[in-house]
Amino acid sequence: MAHYKQPVSVLVVIYTAKLEVLLLERADHPGYWQSVTGSCEPGEKLRDVAIREVMEETGLDARCYELTDWEKQNEYEIYFHWRHRYAPGVTRNTEHVFGLRLPLMAEVKLAPREHLNYKWLPWREAADKVFSPSNSEAILLLDRKIKPKLESH
Amino acid sequence: MAKDRIFLRTDVGDELLKNPGGRISGDEMLLMAMIDGKTGIKGIIKKVPPSVREKLDGVFAHLLFSGYIEEIGIVATGSTGQHKQVDANGTGENHSNGKDCAGLERELEEVRAQLEATRIRQKEIEVVFHKLRLRTSAYTEIMHAKLNKRLKVITGSEISGEELRASCERELRDALEGLQPLNHAVAEQQDVLDKTLRLKVSAKQLEKQEKEREEESGKLAQSHPYYMKLRGLDFFKGFANAELLQFMDISKLQKAESGEAILNEGDVGMPFYIIISGSVSIYKHDVNIASLEQGDFFGEFAYLSGEEPYRTARVVADTACDLMMVDPLDIEFAPVQLRLHVVEALLRGLVRRSLVSSKPLKNLAQDGAGKELDMTSK
């Protein structure tokens, strides 16, 4: 392996003003749905990782929308069968949560070797659908993150 | 008015009364105590028991003869019981001058008599006490002597009574002191025993529950349409009924028709498959490298290789197939025990294959069984 994956990643919750959330189905684990995720490359800034991963996985340009660092970090145990991609002894990953707000549901261009399908789901349903607990928790934050904004408009 | 003789104890008599030492009899002691220099013989006679009255003369004679008492005069006694004392020595005083004085005199006499009686009783008690002490010390001496004799026999050395008693006391004290921690220890031991008993009881209950659960799983499992088929497969040999049920829960049933491609080389995917029924062929670059059938598994390479999760071979159904698709993520979420057993089953299958593939070609030709040449999706 050329280089090890960094145990630092981003999770980008892509959502609309109506609180519909975009989910992607993993190609390596069919039936498992999640938000956009990706690991940091060495020296890369978290925001740039978020922009890059959104582009790679959905074809959307995050710079054209409202990308917010929710300043929430999740630390979790890396699944055993994925650990070989990390440096020896690395077992935990820190995930930084971002939110990307779109005005409306958009057409998505999937990365064929990474995802099989995509879906827009109401936020609560989306929180139920994802397999990762930290992903679910992040989607449920939408309520608090967005409500005040909706009311002020 | 009658006359009465009055006696008084001499110094010798007083001394004797204080310290009898067995020199006079009990009756003599009694009389001695009653002689006070005021009460006459008649008064004394009234107070002593009849048995003593009879020998009173003899007793008086002996006391006088021995010099314990002396006669001091004669008194006139009236019907009122008043005593008129005549001082024989001329030194006494007349106390019968008035009624008050006589009453006081009488009272005084009574008090004196009581005091004397008390003194006598005290003496008696002292005598008894002295005797008892003597007997006790004699007994102790005897016992010590006996113990010494026995100890001498046992140890061959002489130990004095004092030493023995001291050592016994020491031993007793030590024993008492030693008893306290012993009591604590016993209490603790009892506590431990109680706890052990409780643990044993709960262990028994758990065992029973486990057994019931296993039996229940067995019944439940047998009602499942694929259960009997799966139970017979090599892959699940070591699985408990409950584990097999859990495994059925996390895996997905998939059917393939004859000729259908189940996996394509270069596809992304990590799940592996167990063949419940039917058979499949493995192709690498369109070359058939293996055939697999019921109980075999394929597609595990993407999971176990540690490489990117790409399929490295094409798998085509030779017949209609029933398959179990298992995602490694579900294995990760499963209870550790089940996860371990799944991985062991995979490992066992892989080892068997590696043994077969390392057999000399000659043997392989003799075996002739296509299944033994099996390679999976690799």
Side-chain angles (χ1 to χ4, degrees):
Chain A
M1 201 170 284
H3 68 272
Y4 296 121
K5 276 178 89 157
Q6 304 282 306
V8 181
S9 64
V10 295
L11 176 83
V12 188
V13 177
I14 302 177
Y15 62 96
T16 67
K18 287 184 175 174
L19 289 189
E20 292 131 334
V21 174
L22 176 70
L23 295 185
L24 311 170
E25 185 184 10
R26 290 188 72 106
D28 55 353
H29 299 290
Y32 285 90
W33 296 80
Q34 62 177 171
S35 293
V36 168
T37 60
S39 293
C40 284
E41 295 294 337
E44 201 177 18
K45 285 197 176 100
L46 288 171
R47 193 177 179 82
D48 293 334
V49 184
I51 293 167
R52 176 172 59 76
E53 289 292 345
V54 170
M55 177 59 80
E56 281 175 14
E57 296 187 2
T58 68
L60 298 168
D61 189 346
R63 287 168 298 184
C64 303
Y65 307 103
E66 196 181 312
L67 178 67
T68 319
D69 184 349
W70 286 359
E71 284 166 1
K72 178 184 163 57
Q73 296 177 15
N74 302 315
E75 198 187 311
Y76 59 78
E77 197 81 0
I78 301 165
Y79 292 118
F80 187 79
H81 66 278
W82 280 334
R83 281 191 198 168
H84 62 268
R85 299 180 189 179
Y86 297 82
V90 173
T91 62
R92 295 183 78 79
N93 181 74
T94 306
E95 182 181 71
H96 297 262
V97 184
F98 283 79
L100 182 66
R101 186 168 182 259
L102 269 57
L104 293 165
M105 289 187 283
E107 279 283 317
V108 167
K109 194 167 169 285
L110 292 174
R113 297 184 76 76
E114 282 198 59
H115 297 107
L116 301 174
N117 288 299
Y118 74 90
K119 243 181 210 177
W120 286 96
L121 284 177
W123 67 292
R124 283 183 194 279
E125 274 180 51
D128 279 344
K129 186 85 179 165
V130 294
F131 73 93
S132 143
S134 64
N135 196 165
S136 180
E137 218 174 279
I139 292 171
L140 290 175
L141 278 181
L142 273 174
D143 193 29
R144 259 183 287 161
K145 293 273 173 197
I146 304 312
K147 272 269 169 70
K149 218 172 251 183
L150 285 176
E151 279 158 12
S152 68
H153 277 298
Chain B
M1 188 172 280
K3 304 263 183 192
D4 201 353
R5 296 168 71 191
I6 295 174
F7 295 87
L8 189 67
R9 278 193 304 275
T10 60
D11 289 346
V12 181
D14 275 331
E15 188 58 38
L16 188 71
L17 198 63
K18 277 179 201 153
N19 192 9
R23 281 174 286 171
I24 56 170
S25 73
D27 292 340
E28 285 170 340
M29 284 280 292
L30 185 64
L31 274 175
M32 288 268 287
M34 289 174 95
I35 285 164
D36 54 9
K38 290 172 220 106
T39 314
I41 287 180
K42 284 178 184 164
I44 289 170
I45 285 171
K46 280 180 198 161
K47 288 181 188 170
V48 298
S51 60
V52 181
R53 250 175 244 162
E54 289 168 9
K55 37 185 176 175
L56 207 58
D57 284 349
V59 173
F60 268 104
H62 180 246
L63 290 177
L64 275 170
F65 181 75
S66 303
Y68 297 146
I69 55 170
E70 56 189 349
E71 195 167 347
I72 54 166
I74 294 167
V75 74
T77 57
S79 56
T80 55
Q82 269 184 22
H83 299 238
K84 194 169 188 175
Q85 192 177 329
V86 178
D87 191 357
N89 301 327
T91 55
E93 282 177 13
N94 196 336
H95 293 286
S96 56
N97 287 341
K99 271 187 177 176
D100 287 347
C101 192
L104 282 173
E105 190 88 20
R106 213 163 45 244
E107 270 175 40
L108 192 63
E109 261 174 56
E110 277 167 24
V111 170
R112 276 186 182 146
Q114 280 169 11
L115 192 65
E116 209 53 48
T118 308
R119 273 193 198 139
I120 292 163
R121 185 79 197 130
Q122 191 184 348
K123 291 286 169 198
E124 284 172 359
I125 288 169
E126 271 173 16
V127 169
V128 171
F129 181 71
H130 183 68
K131 278 182 187 165
L132 272 175
R133 223 163 55 184
L134 284 176
R135 280 177 66 184
T136 310
S137 73
Y139 180 74
T140 311
E141 276 307 315
I142 290 164
M143 287 315 286
H144 278 172
K146 274 188 183 172
L147 274 171
N148 268 345
K149 212 169 154 189
R150 284 174 66 183
L151 267 174
K152 216 163 133 187
V153 170
I154 294 164
T155 62
S157 68
E158 200 149 353
I159 298 171
S160 77
E162 273 306 310
E163 278 172 353
L164 185 68
R165 197 170 63 200
S167 91
C168 283
E169 274 171 7
R170 222 171 20 246
E171 252 176 59
L172 188 64
R173 204 172 47 238
D174 287 352
L176 284 173
E177 275 171 11
L179 205 58
Q180 207 169 357
L182 205 64
N183 274 335
H184 284 308
V186 167
E188 272 171 27
Q189 194 67 26
Q190 189 62 46
D191 197 38
V192 169
L193 277 174
D194 285 350
K195 277 180 184 158
T196 311
L197 203 66
R198 277 203 294 277
L199 276 177
K200 271 192 178 163
V201 168
S202 20
K204 272 253 156 61
Q205 282 172 346
L206 276 178
E207 212 172 277
K208 200 178 153 201
Q209 280 173 8
E210 186 81 12
K211 209 174 154 192
E212 282 172 1
R213 209 164 29 232
E214 180 62 19
E215 278 169 5
E216 227 168 79
S217 314
K219 274 183 215 153
L220 194 67
Q222 277 163 36
S223 68
H224 195 280
Y226 280 99
Y227 174 80
M228 287 316 285
K229 268 188 181 171
L230 294 179
R231 191 75 280 187
L233 297 184
D234 227 29
F235 192 91
F236 301 111
K237 239 179 188 168
F239 283 48
N241 289 330
E243 282 178 324
L244 184 50
L245 268 188
Q246 276 177 331
F247 189 80
M248 285 158 82
D249 200 39
I250 63 167
S251 58
K252 294 171 192 72
L253 282 171
Q254 193 174 312
K255 285 181 181 294
E257 287 174 18
S258 176
E260 186 184 334
I262 303 159
L263 296 177
N264 284 302
E265 212 172 327
D267 277 357
V268 180
M270 221 183 253
F272 64 92
Y273 297 79
I274 298 163
I275 305 171
I276 301 171
S277 65
S279 62
V280 302
S281 286
I282 316 290
Y283 297 92
K284 198 153 188 177
H285 308 308
D286 291 328
V287 177
N288 183 353
I289 56 165
S291 290
L292 300 175
E293 50 190 44
Q294 189 175 306
D296 289 325
F297 54 86
F298 61 87
E300 81 290 349
F301 185 79
Y303 169 29
L304 301 173
S305 68
E307 303 292 332
E308 292 300 314
Y310 302 142
R311 301 303 184 186
T312 53
R314 190 158 65 96
V315 181
V316 180
D318 290 335
T319 65
C321 289
D322 283 330
L323 306 165
M324 277 181 113
M325 186 183 85
V326 189
D327 195 298
L329 261 183
D330 286 316
I331 302 289
E332 294 243 11
F333 294 143
V336 176
Q337 179 107 339
L338 175 62
R339 192 169 153 191
L340 187 69
H341 287 175
V342 172
V343 173
E344 273 181 2
L346 287 171
L347 192 62
R348 203 169 291 119
L350 289 172
V351 166
R352 237 189 339 257
R353 281 178 206 165
S354 79
L355 281 179
V356 170
S357 64
S358 64
K359 269 189 183 177
L361 278 174
K362 192 174 65 179
N363 288 354
L364 279 179
Q366 279 167 4
D367 288 347
K371 193 191 161 198
E372 301 219 359
L373 280 164
D374 285 351
M375 294 292 286
T376 55
S377 57
K378 185 165 184 179

